[in-house]
Amino acid sequence: MRLDYLSIFPGYFDVLGISLLGKAAVNGLVDVYAHDLRDWTHDRHRTVDDTPCGGGAGMVMKPDPWGEAFDEIIGTEPDPSVHVVFPSPSGEPFTQSVAHDLSSVERIVFCCGRYEGIDHRVIDYARSMWTVHEVSLGDYVLNGGEVAALAITEAVVRLVPGFMGNPQSLAEESFSAGQDGLLEYPLFTRPVSWRGLDVPEVLMSGHHGRIAKWRRDESIRLTRERRPDLTDSDVSARH
Ligand code: SAM
């Protein structure tokens, strides 16, 4: 998988060299390219923003540097196999299911907005050429798309076959099909007693059936309590 990042702060993506993502790059599972959008400006100040048409506060990212960057990095031919991600508070919510879909694509280009955002024609143009995803990390506003692009990258790349040493750990995670899309049950490890708090007895019983039932019940309880939007009627009906 090839990952490109277009940003006025490409240094944000240095962290992709750390930890498991760094290992994935070394092992050739992903190729990472961070680009400075200002490389496609032509004035002395390397300007990427201008005032909003129609007035209002803040600045908007000009389309010209984006267009030139696209031409050079992606090309000038339409190609739906290229996925272009625009992190945006007004995008579709980013979910595990979107991460799954993206984990099987060959190429993702992340376009990181700053200021008030990117001139909308850039998104319309990209949509006419490639497969575009406008995705939101949540109902809050970040300063720029870089942190969102990093979060999306981590969620996607850990699902790429070969990334996880033990792929079974993916099957049992929150939101996964193995969990019926529910939240994960609470986790414990040794020591069995710590600061007056004990590991639930059932987990030390060695009884696989009882352990599985306890975990399932806890998943359902937690999901109903914290994320009722995730419990579908099927799962509730079975319990
Ligand atoms: N004017 C925008 C609005 O009101 O929706 C906020 C712009 S924000 C300061 C600058 C950039 O941060 C956005 O263009 C986007 O790339 C990124 N961003 C901010 N919040 C985000 C979120 N919740 N999810 C994804 N990206 C976000």
Side-chain angles (χ1 to χ4, degrees):
M1 178 185 278
R2 173 174 170 158
L3 303 169
D4 289 272
Y5 301 86
L6 263 166
S7 160
I8 57 169
F9 296 116
Y12 264 93
F13 301 99
D14 291 352
V15 297
L16 291 173
I18 300 174
S19 183
L20 289 175
L21 279 167
K23 209 167 134 195
V26 169
N27 293 343
L29 211 58
V30 291
D31 289 319
V32 172
Y33 301 88
H35 311 274
D36 187 345
L37 185 69
R38 292 191 199 276
D39 288 349
W40 289 278
T41 58
H42 303 289
D43 63 312
R44 201 157 53 91
H45 301 291
R46 308 181 83 207
T47 309
V48 292
D49 59 323
D50 204 340
T51 52
C53 292
M59 300 296 274
V60 175
M61 295 191 99
K62 291 156 63 68
D64 326 50
W66 289 99
E68 288 188 34
F70 288 159
D71 292 350
E72 198 172 323
I73 293 169
I74 316 178
T76 52
E77 296 296 321
D79 180 354
S81 77
V82 175
H83 290 249
V84 181
V85 173
F86 291 91
S88 161
S90 39
E92 303 268 336
F94 181 64
T95 60
Q96 188 72 359
S97 144
V98 177
H100 250 291
D101 292 347
L102 287 174
S103 70
S104 59
V105 312
E106 284 296 312
R107 181 142 192 222
I108 308 176
V109 180
F110 291 91
C111 302
C112 304
R114 281 271 155 180
Y115 313 108
E116 291 306 318
I118 305 172
D119 184 307
H120 201 75
R121 290 169 294 177
V122 174
I123 300 162
D124 288 340
Y125 173 76
R127 215 182 276 290
S128 74
M129 299 287 281
W130 311 293
T131 303
V132 164
H133 309 261
E134 281 183 84
V135 288
S136 167
L137 227 56
D139 294 345
Y140 43 82
V141 178
L142 303 166
N143 283 337
E146 290 77 9
V147 167
L150 285 169
I152 294 164
T153 300
E154 189 152 308
V156 168
V157 174
R158 67 198 298 282
L159 299 176
V160 172
F163 180 85
M164 283 298 224
N166 178 5
Q168 185 58 23
S169 42
L170 294 176
E172 290 172 7
E173 281 182 327
S174 297
F175 317 113
S176 65
Q179 278 276 111
D180 272 338
L182 301 172
L183 302 181
E184 193 177 57
Y185 44 81
L187 301 168
F188 298 89
T189 185
R190 269 165 277 270
V192 174
S193 235
W194 177 76
R195 298 192 176 192
L197 300 167
D198 293 341
V199 173
E201 200 198 310
V202 61
L203 297 181
M204 305 309 293
S205 69
H207 192 296
H208 296 305
R210 280 181 57 211
I211 293 170
K213 179 169 183 330
W214 180 88
R215 287 178 166 167
R216 177 87 186 153
D217 290 348
E218 283 296 296
S219 277
I220 292 170
R221 181 186 64 74
L222 272 177
T223 311
R224 278 190 185 139
E225 199 175 287
R226 295 181 185 172
R227 294 291 306 277
D229 56 303
L230 294 177
T231 46
D232 71 29
S233 45
D234 267 14
V235 172
S236 298
R238 275 182 259 139
H239 289 266

